Amino acid sequence: QVGDKQLLYMSQLHGDVAELQQQKAQLLRSLDQEKEARKKDLKAHQLVIDKLESLQAHHARAERLNGEDGATNLAYLKHCVLTYVQTTDAPTHKRLLPVLAQLLHLTTAEVQAATRAIDAATPPPPGSRWMGALSSLVAGGSGGG
């Protein structure tokens, strides 16, 4: 038979075990929270590293442009812009557009807008209106006969 002392001791042990299990659960929750915080910190750290690498690359490009190559690039840009402005020839504009886009770091949307502007400013070839009108007359005339 189990004595009173033994029952008391077992009861105390049971209470101690229950308390230790609660502490363990609390520690596990804390550990999970710390893991999540570390994951967020690592993501933020990686974003900072990525931004730093981007800035370093940008700085290196700027240094190259400001160095000896910078004067050459500026002279070349000046030449291209003057050629572009001084001509009304659409093929010349279209030929210079990729060069200017590269030198000025234009976005795709900006290049597309410039291309549309060049196309809109380009007059139709001589006689194209008459050819269009003639084509529509021929098409209309042959369909009715």
Side-chain angles (χ1 to χ4, degrees), residues 56-97:
Q56 286 173 335
H58 179 73
H59 179 71
R61 262 192 318 272
E63 286 294 318
R64 281 194 313 273
L65 290 176
N66 289 334
E68 293 176 15
D69 292 342
T72 305
N73 284 343
L74 186 59
Y76 186 56
L77 175 61
K78 179 180 175 182
H79 170 75
C80 291
V81 169
L82 286 174
T83 303
Y84 189 92
V85 170
Q86 291 171 351
T87 185
T88 58
D89 183 40
T92 301
H93 282 177
K94 285 189 177 184
R95 190 182 79 246
L96 286 172
L97 185 59

PDB file of all heavy atoms in Angstrom, residues 56-97:
ATOM      1  N   GLN A  56      26.658  50.451 -55.071  1.00  0.00           N
ATOM      2  CA  GLN A  56      28.069  50.322 -55.438  1.00  0.00           C
ATOM      3  C   GLN A  56      28.231  50.224 -56.950  1.00  0.00           C
ATOM      4  O   GLN A  56      29.131  50.844 -57.524  1.00  0.00           O
ATOM      5  CB  GLN A  56      28.691  49.107 -54.751  1.00  0.00           C
ATOM      6  CG  GLN A  56      28.935  49.308 -53.273  1.00  0.00           C
ATOM      7  CD  GLN A  56      29.383  48.045 -52.565  1.00  0.00           C
ATOM      8  OE1 GLN A  56      29.103  46.931 -53.012  1.00  0.00           O
ATOM      9  NE2 GLN A  56      30.065  48.200 -51.445  1.00  0.00           N
ATOM     10  N   ALA A  57      27.355  49.464 -57.601  1.00  0.00           N
ATOM     11  CA  ALA A  57      27.409  49.349 -59.057  1.00  0.00           C
ATOM     12  C   ALA A  57      27.109  50.695 -59.706  1.00  0.00           C
ATOM     13  O   ALA A  57      27.784  51.097 -60.663  1.00  0.00           O
ATOM     14  CB  ALA A  57      26.417  48.286 -59.539  1.00  0.00           C
ATOM     15  N   HIS A  58      26.118  51.390 -59.182  1.00  0.00           N
ATOM     16  CA  HIS A  58      25.769  52.719 -59.703  1.00  0.00           C
ATOM     17  C   HIS A  58      26.947  53.678 -59.522  1.00  0.00           C
ATOM     18  O   HIS A  58      27.279  54.447 -60.423  1.00  0.00           O
ATOM     19  CB  HIS A  58      24.525  53.251 -59.002  1.00  0.00           C
ATOM     20  CG  HIS A  58      24.105  54.606 -59.458  1.00  0.00           C
ATOM     21  ND1 HIS A  58      23.521  54.819 -60.685  1.00  0.00           N
ATOM     22  CD2 HIS A  58      24.201  55.813 -58.872  1.00  0.00           C
ATOM     23  CE1 HIS A  58      23.285  56.107 -60.827  1.00  0.00           C
ATOM     24  NE2 HIS A  58      23.684  56.736 -59.736  1.00  0.00           N
ATOM     25  N   HIS A  59      27.580  53.621 -58.368  1.00  0.00           N
ATOM     26  CA  HIS A  59      28.723  54.489 -58.084  1.00  0.00           C
ATOM     27  C   HIS A  59      29.883  54.180 -59.040  1.00  0.00           C
ATOM     28  O   HIS A  59      30.528  55.100 -59.564  1.00  0.00           O
ATOM     29  CB  HIS A  59      29.174  54.319 -56.629  1.00  0.00           C
ATOM     30  CG  HIS A  59      30.346  55.153 -56.251  1.00  0.00           C
ATOM     31  ND1 HIS A  59      30.263  56.511 -56.115  1.00  0.00           N
ATOM     32  CD2 HIS A  59      31.634  54.827 -56.005  1.00  0.00           C
ATOM     33  CE1 HIS A  59      31.461  56.993 -55.798  1.00  0.00           C
ATOM     34  NE2 HIS A  59      32.305  55.986 -55.726  1.00  0.00           N
ATOM     35  N   ALA A  60      30.125  52.900 -59.269  1.00  0.00           N
ATOM     36  CA  ALA A  60      31.201  52.515 -60.183  1.00  0.00           C
ATOM     37  C   ALA A  60      30.915  53.023 -61.591  1.00  0.00           C
ATOM     38  O   ALA A  60      31.819  53.532 -62.270  1.00  0.00           O
ATOM     39  CB  ALA A  60      31.373  50.989 -60.184  1.00  0.00           C
ATOM     40  N   ARG A  61      29.644  52.914 -62.026  1.00  0.00           N
ATOM     41  CA  ARG A  61      29.266  53.441 -63.339  1.00  0.00           C
ATOM     42  C   ARG A  61      29.477  54.943 -63.397  1.00  0.00           C
ATOM     43  O   ARG A  61      30.000  55.476 -64.376  1.00  0.00           O
ATOM     44  CB  ARG A  61      27.787  53.130 -63.623  1.00  0.00           C
ATOM     45  CG  ARG A  61      27.566  51.929 -64.476  1.00  0.00           C
ATOM     46  CD  ARG A  61      26.145  51.823 -64.980  1.00  0.00           C
ATOM     47  NE  ARG A  61      25.111  52.143 -64.016  1.00  0.00           N
ATOM     48  CZ  ARG A  61      24.562  51.289 -63.173  1.00  0.00           C
ATOM     49  NH1 ARG A  61      24.951  50.046 -63.157  1.00  0.00           N
ATOM     50  NH2 ARG A  61      23.619  51.674 -62.349  1.00  0.00           N
ATOM     51  N   ALA A  62      29.073  55.639 -62.336  1.00  0.00           N
ATOM     52  CA  ALA A  62      29.229  57.092 -62.290  1.00  0.00           C
ATOM     53  C   ALA A  62      30.703  57.474 -62.318  1.00  0.00           C
ATOM     54  O   ALA A  62      31.088  58.438 -62.988  1.00  0.00           O
ATOM     55  CB  ALA A  62      28.551  57.655 -61.042  1.00  0.00           C
ATOM     56  N   GLU A  63      31.524  56.727 -61.605  1.00  0.00           N
ATOM     57  CA  GLU A  63      32.959  57.000 -61.606  1.00  0.00           C
ATOM     58  C   GLU A  63      33.550  56.820 -63.005  1.00  0.00           C
ATOM     59  O   GLU A  63      34.368  57.622 -63.442  1.00  0.00           O
ATOM     60  CB  GLU A  63      33.687  56.082 -60.614  1.00  0.00           C
ATOM     61  CG  GLU A  63      33.482  56.453 -59.166  1.00  0.00           C
ATOM     62  CD  GLU A  63      34.099  57.791 -58.805  1.00  0.00           C
ATOM     63  OE1 GLU A  63      35.226  58.073 -59.244  1.00  0.00           O
ATOM     64  OE2 GLU A  63      33.436  58.558 -58.090  1.00  0.00           O
ATOM     65  N   ARG A  64      33.115  55.755 -63.692  1.00  0.00           N
ATOM     66  CA  ARG A  64      33.600  55.538 -65.055  1.00  0.00           C
ATOM     67  C   ARG A  64      33.164  56.672 -65.968  1.00  0.00           C
ATOM     68  O   ARG A  64      33.925  57.142 -66.804  1.00  0.00           O
ATOM     69  CB  ARG A  64      33.089  54.205 -65.602  1.00  0.00           C
ATOM     70  CG  ARG A  64      33.860  53.004 -65.113  1.00  0.00           C
ATOM     71  CD  ARG A  64      33.537  51.764 -65.933  1.00  0.00           C
ATOM     72  NE  ARG A  64      32.129  51.528 -66.150  1.00  0.00           N
ATOM     73  CZ  ARG A  64      31.330  50.857 -65.313  1.00  0.00           C
ATOM     74  NH1 ARG A  64      31.812  50.354 -64.199  1.00  0.00           N
ATOM     75  NH2 ARG A  64      30.065  50.678 -65.597  1.00  0.00           N
ATOM     76  N   LEU A  65      31.915  57.106 -65.814  1.00  0.00           N
ATOM     77  CA  LEU A  65      31.406  58.185 -66.660  1.00  0.00           C
ATOM     78  C   LEU A  65      32.079  59.512 -66.349  1.00  0.00           C
ATOM     79  O   LEU A  65      32.223  60.364 -67.220  1.00  0.00           O
ATOM     80  CB  LEU A  65      29.887  58.309 -66.494  1.00  0.00           C
ATOM     81  CG  LEU A  65      29.075  57.166 -67.070  1.00  0.00           C
ATOM     82  CD1 LEU A  65      27.604  57.350 -66.757  1.00  0.00           C
ATOM     83  CD2 LEU A  65      29.281  57.041 -68.574  1.00  0.00           C
ATOM     84  N   ASN A  66      32.480  59.710 -65.115  1.00  0.00           N
ATOM     85  CA  ASN A  66      33.121  60.964 -64.731  1.00  0.00           C
ATOM     86  C   ASN A  66      34.622  60.959 -65.016  1.00  0.00           C
ATOM     87  O   ASN A  66      35.258  61.999 -64.998  1.00  0.00           O
ATOM     88  CB  ASN A  66      32.892  61.265 -63.247  1.00  0.00           C
ATOM     89  CG  ASN A  66      31.461  61.636 -62.979  1.00  0.00           C
ATOM     90  OD1 ASN A  66      30.764  62.130 -63.854  1.00  0.00           O
ATOM     91  ND2 ASN A  66      30.999  61.399 -61.763  1.00  0.00           N
ATOM     92  N   GLY A  67      35.183  59.800 -65.273  1.00  0.00           N
ATOM     93  CA  GLY A  67      36.617  59.707 -65.531  1.00  0.00           C
ATOM     94  C   GLY A  67      36.932  60.093 -66.965  1.00  0.00           C
ATOM     95  O   GLY A  67      36.251  60.912 -67.579  1.00  0.00           O
ATOM     96  N   GLU A  68      37.963  59.489 -67.500  1.00  0.00           N
ATOM     97  CA  GLU A  68      38.379  59.784 -68.865  1.00  0.00           C
ATOM     98  C   GLU A  68      37.273  59.433 -69.856  1.00  0.00           C
ATOM     99  O   GLU A  68      37.061  60.146 -70.829  1.00  0.00           O
ATOM    100  CB  GLU A  68      39.647  59.007 -69.196  1.00  0.00           C
ATOM    101  CG  GLU A  68      40.859  59.456 -68.415  1.00  0.00           C
ATOM    102  CD  GLU A  68      42.075  58.589 -68.694  1.00  0.00           C
ATOM    103  OE1 GLU A  68      42.056  57.827 -69.687  1.00  0.00           O
ATOM    104  OE2 GLU A  68      43.034  58.680 -67.930  1.00  0.00           O
ATOM    105  N   ASP A  69      36.584  58.327 -69.594  1.00  0.00           N
ATOM    106  CA  ASP A  69      35.499  57.931 -70.484  1.00  0.00           C
ATOM    107  C   ASP A  69      34.369  58.951 -70.446  1.00  0.00           C
ATOM    108  O   ASP A  69      33.638  59.099 -71.418  1.00  0.00           O
ATOM    109  CB  ASP A  69      34.947  56.560 -70.079  1.00  0.00           C
ATOM    110  CG  ASP A  69      35.954  55.447 -70.334  1.00  0.00           C
ATOM    111  OD1 ASP A  69      36.890  55.677 -71.112  1.00  0.00           O
ATOM    112  OD2 ASP A  69      35.796  54.365 -69.747  1.00  0.00           O
ATOM    113  N   GLY A  70      34.215  59.632 -69.333  1.00  0.00           N
ATOM    114  CA  GLY A  70      33.127  60.605 -69.196  1.00  0.00           C
ATOM    115  C   GLY A  70      33.230  61.719 -70.214  1.00  0.00           C
ATOM    116  O   GLY A  70      32.233  62.115 -70.813  1.00  0.00           O
ATOM    117  N   ALA A  71      34.425  62.228 -70.433  1.00  0.00           N
ATOM    118  CA  ALA A  71      34.613  63.299 -71.414  1.00  0.00           C
ATOM    119  C   ALA A  71      34.309  62.782 -72.814  1.00  0.00           C
ATOM    120  O   ALA A  71      33.660  63.475 -73.611  1.00  0.00           O
ATOM    121  CB  ALA A  71      36.039  63.832 -71.333  1.00  0.00           C
ATOM    122  N   THR A  72      34.745  61.561 -73.101  1.00  0.00           N
ATOM    123  CA  THR A  72      34.465  60.962 -74.407  1.00  0.00           C
ATOM    124  C   THR A  72      32.972  60.750 -74.580  1.00  0.00           C
ATOM    125  O   THR A  72      32.409  61.077 -75.629  1.00  0.00           O
ATOM    126  CB  THR A  72      35.207  59.614 -74.545  1.00  0.00           C
ATOM    127  OG1 THR A  72      36.589  59.835 -74.308  1.00  0.00           O
ATOM    128  CG2 THR A  72      34.991  58.999 -75.902  1.00  0.00           C
ATOM    129  N   ASN A  73      32.319  60.196 -73.553  1.00  0.00           N
ATOM    130  CA  ASN A  73      30.876  59.971 -73.624  1.00  0.00           C
ATOM    131  C   ASN A  73      30.129  61.280 -73.802  1.00  0.00           C
ATOM    132  O   ASN A  73      29.165  61.350 -74.558  1.00  0.00           O
ATOM    133  CB  ASN A  73      30.378  59.258 -72.365  1.00  0.00           C
ATOM    134  CG  ASN A  73      30.738  57.792 -72.369  1.00  0.00           C
ATOM    135  OD1 ASN A  73      31.077  57.234 -73.391  1.00  0.00           O
ATOM    136  ND2 ASN A  73      30.686  57.182 -71.202  1.00  0.00           N
ATOM    137  N   LEU A  74      30.548  62.313 -73.102  1.00  0.00           N
ATOM    138  CA  LEU A  74      29.874  63.602 -73.202  1.00  0.00           C
ATOM    139  C   LEU A  74      30.050  64.178 -74.605  1.00  0.00           C
ATOM    140  O   LEU A  74      29.097  64.692 -75.194  1.00  0.00           O
ATOM    141  CB  LEU A  74      30.407  64.570 -72.143  1.00  0.00           C
ATOM    142  CG  LEU A  74      29.674  65.903 -72.063  1.00  0.00           C
ATOM    143  CD1 LEU A  74      28.194  65.696 -71.762  1.00  0.00           C
ATOM    144  CD2 LEU A  74      30.305  66.771 -70.989  1.00  0.00           C
ATOM    145  N   ALA A  75      31.249  64.089 -75.156  1.00  0.00           N
ATOM    146  CA  ALA A  75      31.484  64.587 -76.513  1.00  0.00           C
ATOM    147  C   ALA A  75      30.650  63.802 -77.519  1.00  0.00           C
ATOM    148  O   ALA A  75      30.061  64.380 -78.448  1.00  0.00           O
ATOM    149  CB  ALA A  75      32.966  64.498 -76.848  1.00  0.00           C
ATOM    150  N   TYR A  76      30.586  62.482 -77.336  1.00  0.00           N
ATOM    151  CA  TYR A  76      29.802  61.637 -78.234  1.00  0.00           C
ATOM    152  C   TYR A  76      28.320  61.961 -78.109  1.00  0.00           C
ATOM    153  O   TYR A  76      27.615  62.069 -79.115  1.00  0.00           O
ATOM    154  CB  TYR A  76      30.083  60.165 -77.934  1.00  0.00           C
ATOM    155  CG  TYR A  76      29.431  59.205 -78.893  1.00  0.00           C
ATOM    156  CD1 TYR A  76      29.646  59.300 -80.261  1.00  0.00           C
ATOM    157  CD2 TYR A  76      28.601  58.193 -78.425  1.00  0.00           C
ATOM    158  CE1 TYR A  76      29.057  58.421 -81.144  1.00  0.00           C
ATOM    159  CE2 TYR A  76      28.008  57.309 -79.301  1.00  0.00           C
ATOM    160  CZ  TYR A  76      28.239  57.423 -80.663  1.00  0.00           C
ATOM    161  OH  TYR A  76      27.652  56.552 -81.530  1.00  0.00           O
ATOM    162  N   LEU A  77      27.839  62.130 -76.882  1.00  0.00           N
ATOM    163  CA  LEU A  77      26.447  62.497 -76.657  1.00  0.00           C
ATOM    164  C   LEU A  77      26.143  63.830 -77.330  1.00  0.00           C
ATOM    165  O   LEU A  77      25.121  63.987 -77.999  1.00  0.00           O
ATOM    166  CB  LEU A  77      26.154  62.573 -75.155  1.00  0.00           C
ATOM    167  CG  LEU A  77      24.759  63.053 -74.764  1.00  0.00           C
ATOM    168  CD1 LEU A  77      23.691  62.120 -75.312  1.00  0.00           C
ATOM    169  CD2 LEU A  77      24.652  63.149 -73.250  1.00  0.00           C
ATOM    170  N   LYS A  78      27.037  64.797 -77.161  1.00  0.00           N
ATOM    171  CA  LYS A  78      26.853  66.120 -77.771  1.00  0.00           C
ATOM    172  C   LYS A  78      26.741  65.976 -79.293  1.00  0.00           C
ATOM    173  O   LYS A  78      25.837  66.550 -79.910  1.00  0.00           O
ATOM    174  CB  LYS A  78      28.031  67.023 -77.400  1.00  0.00           C
ATOM    175  CG  LYS A  78      27.973  68.405 -77.998  1.00  0.00           C
ATOM    176  CD  LYS A  78      29.198  69.199 -77.554  1.00  0.00           C
ATOM    177  CE  LYS A  78      29.249  70.555 -78.219  1.00  0.00           C
ATOM    178  NZ  LYS A  78      30.447  71.305 -77.826  1.00  0.00           N
ATOM    179  N   HIS A  79      27.631  65.196 -79.884  1.00  0.00           N
ATOM    180  CA  HIS A  79      27.605  64.978 -81.330  1.00  0.00           C
ATOM    181  C   HIS A  79      26.281  64.351 -81.772  1.00  0.00           C
ATOM    182  O   HIS A  79      25.664  64.792 -82.745  1.00  0.00           O
ATOM    183  CB  HIS A  79      28.788  64.093 -81.742  1.00  0.00           C
ATOM    184  CG  HIS A  79      28.715  63.623 -83.163  1.00  0.00           C
ATOM    185  ND1 HIS A  79      28.976  64.436 -84.232  1.00  0.00           N
ATOM    186  CD2 HIS A  79      28.384  62.410 -83.687  1.00  0.00           C
ATOM    187  CE1 HIS A  79      28.810  63.757 -85.356  1.00  0.00           C
ATOM    188  NE2 HIS A  79      28.459  62.527 -85.047  1.00  0.00           N
ATOM    189  N   CYS A  80      25.842  63.309 -81.048  1.00  0.00           N
ATOM    190  CA  CYS A  80      24.600  62.612 -81.405  1.00  0.00           C
ATOM    191  C   CYS A  80      23.395  63.536 -81.278  1.00  0.00           C
ATOM    192  O   CYS A  80      22.519  63.558 -82.155  1.00  0.00           O
ATOM    193  CB  CYS A  80      24.411  61.366 -80.536  1.00  0.00           C
ATOM    194  SG  CYS A  80      25.589  60.064 -80.896  1.00  0.00           S
ATOM    195  N   VAL A  81      23.332  64.300 -80.203  1.00  0.00           N
ATOM    196  CA  VAL A  81      22.196  65.207 -79.999  1.00  0.00           C
ATOM    197  C   VAL A  81      22.183  66.284 -81.087  1.00  0.00           C
ATOM    198  O   VAL A  81      21.127  66.592 -81.660  1.00  0.00           O
ATOM    199  CB  VAL A  81      22.229  65.837 -78.589  1.00  0.00           C
ATOM    200  CG1 VAL A  81      21.233  66.967 -78.463  1.00  0.00           C
ATOM    201  CG2 VAL A  81      21.954  64.754 -77.545  1.00  0.00           C
ATOM    202  N   LEU A  82      23.346  66.865 -81.382  1.00  0.00           N
ATOM    203  CA  LEU A  82      23.399  67.893 -82.430  1.00  0.00           C
ATOM    204  C   LEU A  82      22.996  67.325 -83.782  1.00  0.00           C
ATOM    205  O   LEU A  82      22.245  67.956 -84.536  1.00  0.00           O
ATOM    206  CB  LEU A  82      24.797  68.513 -82.500  1.00  0.00           C
ATOM    207  CG  LEU A  82      25.132  69.471 -81.361  1.00  0.00           C
ATOM    208  CD1 LEU A  82      26.588  69.912 -81.447  1.00  0.00           C
ATOM    209  CD2 LEU A  82      24.206  70.677 -81.372  1.00  0.00           C
ATOM    210  N   THR A  83      23.468  66.129 -84.107  1.00  0.00           N
ATOM    211  CA  THR A  83      23.084  65.488 -85.362  1.00  0.00           C
ATOM    212  C   THR A  83      21.586  65.245 -85.399  1.00  0.00           C
ATOM    213  O   THR A  83      20.927  65.509 -86.404  1.00  0.00           O
ATOM    214  CB  THR A  83      23.839  64.153 -85.544  1.00  0.00           C
ATOM    215  OG1 THR A  83      25.236  64.403 -85.479  1.00  0.00           O
ATOM    216  CG2 THR A  83      23.489  63.492 -86.854  1.00  0.00           C
ATOM    217  N   TYR A  84      21.039  64.784 -84.293  1.00  0.00           N
ATOM    218  CA  TYR A  84      19.605  64.496 -84.203  1.00  0.00           C
ATOM    219  C   TYR A  84      18.791  65.766 -84.406  1.00  0.00           C
ATOM    220  O   TYR A  84      17.811  65.783 -85.150  1.00  0.00           O
ATOM    221  CB  TYR A  84      19.301  63.867 -82.838  1.00  0.00           C
ATOM    222  CG  TYR A  84      17.896  63.337 -82.701  1.00  0.00           C
ATOM    223  CD1 TYR A  84      17.617  62.014 -83.010  1.00  0.00           C
ATOM    224  CD2 TYR A  84      16.854  64.139 -82.254  1.00  0.00           C
ATOM    225  CE1 TYR A  84      16.341  61.506 -82.883  1.00  0.00           C
ATOM    226  CE2 TYR A  84      15.573  63.646 -82.134  1.00  0.00           C
ATOM    227  CZ  TYR A  84      15.322  62.328 -82.448  1.00  0.00           C
ATOM    228  OH  TYR A  84      14.053  61.833 -82.329  1.00  0.00           O
ATOM    229  N   VAL A  85      19.202  66.846 -83.766  1.00  0.00           N
ATOM    230  CA  VAL A  85      18.449  68.105 -83.815  1.00  0.00           C
ATOM    231  C   VAL A  85      18.589  68.768 -85.184  1.00  0.00           C
ATOM    232  O   VAL A  85      17.652  69.391 -85.684  1.00  0.00           O
ATOM    233  CB  VAL A  85      18.930  69.045 -82.684  1.00  0.00           C
ATOM    234  CG1 VAL A  85      18.354  70.427 -82.834  1.00  0.00           C
ATOM    235  CG2 VAL A  85      18.567  68.468 -81.331  1.00  0.00           C
ATOM    236  N   GLN A  86      19.750  68.633 -85.796  1.00  0.00           N
ATOM    237  CA  GLN A  86      20.013  69.346 -87.045  1.00  0.00           C
ATOM    238  C   GLN A  86      19.434  68.653 -88.276  1.00  0.00           C
ATOM    239  O   GLN A  86      19.442  69.237 -89.353  1.00  0.00           O
ATOM    240  CB  GLN A  86      21.524  69.539 -87.228  1.00  0.00           C
ATOM    241  CG  GLN A  86      22.117  70.506 -86.222  1.00  0.00           C
ATOM    242  CD  GLN A  86      23.633  70.539 -86.257  1.00  0.00           C
ATOM    243  OE1 GLN A  86      24.276  69.725 -86.914  1.00  0.00           O
ATOM    244  NE2 GLN A  86      24.204  71.486 -85.534  1.00  0.00           N
ATOM    245  N   THR A  87      18.944  67.448 -88.137  1.00  0.00           N
ATOM    246  CA  THR A  87      18.380  66.756 -89.293  1.00  0.00           C
ATOM    247  C   THR A  87      16.883  66.551 -89.110  1.00  0.00           C
ATOM    248  O   THR A  87      16.391  66.445 -87.991  1.00  0.00           O
ATOM    249  CB  THR A  87      19.072  65.407 -89.540  1.00  0.00           C
ATOM    250  OG1 THR A  87      18.557  64.832 -90.741  1.00  0.00           O
ATOM    251  CG2 THR A  87      18.827  64.435 -88.409  1.00  0.00           C
ATOM    252  N   THR A  88      16.179  66.514 -90.237  1.00  0.00           N
ATOM    253  CA  THR A  88      14.745  66.206 -90.207  1.00  0.00           C
ATOM    254  C   THR A  88      14.496  64.843 -90.827  1.00  0.00           C
ATOM    255  O   THR A  88      13.360  64.451 -91.010  1.00  0.00           O
ATOM    256  CB  THR A  88      13.950  67.276 -90.982  1.00  0.00           C
ATOM    257  OG1 THR A  88      14.447  67.332 -92.331  1.00  0.00           O
ATOM    258  CG2 THR A  88      14.067  68.633 -90.315  1.00  0.00           C
ATOM    259  N   ASP A  89      15.576  64.147 -91.128  1.00  0.00           N
ATOM    260  CA  ASP A  89      15.503  62.854 -91.780  1.00  0.00           C
ATOM    261  C   ASP A  89      15.094  61.775 -90.766  1.00  0.00           C
ATOM    262  O   ASP A  89      15.833  61.477 -89.828  1.00  0.00           O
ATOM    263  CB  ASP A  89      16.883  62.543 -92.378  1.00  0.00           C
ATOM    264  CG  ASP A  89      16.908  61.247 -93.144  1.00  0.00           C
ATOM    265  OD1 ASP A  89      15.929  60.968 -93.860  1.00  0.00           O
ATOM    266  OD2 ASP A  89      17.909  60.511 -93.015  1.00  0.00           O
ATOM    267  N   ALA A  90      13.906  61.192 -90.973  1.00  0.00           N
ATOM    268  CA  ALA A  90      13.399  60.183 -90.033  1.00  0.00           C
ATOM    269  C   ALA A  90      14.314  58.966 -89.913  1.00  0.00           C
ATOM    270  O   ALA A  90      14.537  58.478 -88.803  1.00  0.00           O
ATOM    271  CB  ALA A  90      11.981  59.757 -90.423  1.00  0.00           C
ATOM    272  N   PRO A  91      14.886  58.453 -91.007  1.00  0.00           N
ATOM    273  CA  PRO A  91      15.803  57.308 -90.848  1.00  0.00           C
ATOM    274  C   PRO A  91      17.017  57.651 -89.974  1.00  0.00           C
ATOM    275  O   PRO A  91      17.483  56.810 -89.205  1.00  0.00           O
ATOM    276  CB  PRO A  91      16.228  56.979 -92.289  1.00  0.00           C
ATOM    277  CG  PRO A  91      15.074  57.437 -93.132  1.00  0.00           C
ATOM    278  CD  PRO A  91      14.564  58.677 -92.441  1.00  0.00           C
ATOM    279  N   THR A  92      17.506  58.878 -90.074  1.00  0.00           N
ATOM    280  CA  THR A  92      18.626  59.283 -89.212  1.00  0.00           C
ATOM    281  C   THR A  92      18.174  59.330 -87.765  1.00  0.00           C
ATOM    282  O   THR A  92      18.891  58.877 -86.864  1.00  0.00           O
ATOM    283  CB  THR A  92      19.174  60.660 -89.649  1.00  0.00           C
ATOM    284  OG1 THR A  92      19.593  60.564 -91.013  1.00  0.00           O
ATOM    285  CG2 THR A  92      20.346  61.087 -88.786  1.00  0.00           C
ATOM    286  N   HIS A  93      16.992  59.874 -87.538  1.00  0.00           N
ATOM    287  CA  HIS A  93      16.461  59.907 -86.169  1.00  0.00           C
ATOM    288  C   HIS A  93      16.329  58.496 -85.620  1.00  0.00           C
ATOM    289  O   HIS A  93      16.705  58.226 -84.473  1.00  0.00           O
ATOM    290  CB  HIS A  93      15.107  60.606 -86.141  1.00  0.00           C
ATOM    291  CG  HIS A  93      15.215  62.095 -86.206  1.00  0.00           C
ATOM    292  ND1 HIS A  93      14.100  62.903 -86.245  1.00  0.00           N
ATOM    293  CD2 HIS A  93      16.273  62.940 -86.229  1.00  0.00           C
ATOM    294  CE1 HIS A  93      14.475  64.167 -86.289  1.00  0.00           C
ATOM    295  NE2 HIS A  93      15.797  64.214 -86.292  1.00  0.00           N
ATOM    296  N   LYS A  94      15.777  57.594 -86.425  1.00  0.00           N
ATOM    297  CA  LYS A  94      15.603  56.212 -85.966  1.00  0.00           C
ATOM    298  C   LYS A  94      16.950  55.528 -85.735  1.00  0.00           C
ATOM    299  O   LYS A  94      17.075  54.697 -84.853  1.00  0.00           O
ATOM    300  CB  LYS A  94      14.759  55.425 -86.961  1.00  0.00           C
ATOM    301  CG  LYS A  94      13.295  55.778 -86.892  1.00  0.00           C
ATOM    302  CD  LYS A  94      12.448  54.856 -87.726  1.00  0.00           C
ATOM    303  CE  LYS A  94      10.982  55.208 -87.556  1.00  0.00           C
ATOM    304  NZ  LYS A  94      10.105  54.294 -88.273  1.00  0.00           N
ATOM    305  N   ARG A  95      17.970  55.874 -86.552  1.00  0.00           N
ATOM    306  CA  ARG A  95      19.290  55.283 -86.380  1.00  0.00           C
ATOM    307  C   ARG A  95      19.960  55.802 -85.103  1.00  0.00           C
ATOM    308  O   ARG A  95      20.667  55.080 -84.413  1.00  0.00           O
ATOM    309  CB  ARG A  95      20.148  55.596 -87.604  1.00  0.00           C
ATOM    310  CG  ARG A  95      21.451  54.836 -87.627  1.00  0.00           C
ATOM    311  CD  ARG A  95      22.330  55.183 -88.816  1.00  0.00           C
ATOM    312  NE  ARG A  95      23.011  56.448 -88.573  1.00  0.00           N
ATOM    313  CZ  ARG A  95      22.816  57.583 -89.254  1.00  0.00           C
ATOM    314  NH1 ARG A  95      21.954  57.623 -90.248  1.00  0.00           N
ATOM    315  NH2 ARG A  95      23.486  58.668 -88.958  1.00  0.00           N
ATOM    316  N   LEU A  96      19.729  57.080 -84.781  1.00  0.00           N
ATOM    317  CA  LEU A  96      20.359  57.669 -83.600  1.00  0.00           C
ATOM    318  C   LEU A  96      19.618  57.350 -82.302  1.00  0.00           C
ATOM    319  O   LEU A  96      20.201  57.423 -81.228  1.00  0.00           O
ATOM    320  CB  LEU A  96      20.448  59.194 -83.760  1.00  0.00           C
ATOM    321  CG  LEU A  96      21.514  59.684 -84.729  1.00  0.00           C
ATOM    322  CD1 LEU A  96      21.381  61.177 -84.949  1.00  0.00           C
ATOM    323  CD2 LEU A  96      22.902  59.344 -84.227  1.00  0.00           C
ATOM    324  N   LEU A  97      18.345  57.000 -82.398  1.00  0.00           N
ATOM    325  CA  LEU A  97      17.552  56.766 -81.185  1.00  0.00           C
ATOM    326  C   LEU A  97      18.146  55.690 -80.278  1.00  0.00           C
ATOM    327  O   LEU A  97      18.282  55.919 -79.075  1.00  0.00           O
ATOM    328  CB  LEU A  97      16.095  56.453 -81.541  1.00  0.00           C
ATOM    329  CG  LEU A  97      15.159  56.300 -80.351  1.00  0.00           C
ATOM    330  CD1 LEU A  97      15.139  57.573 -79.491  1.00  0.00           C
ATOM    331  CD2 LEU A  97      13.758  55.974 -80.829  1.00  0.00           C
TER     332      LEU A  97
END
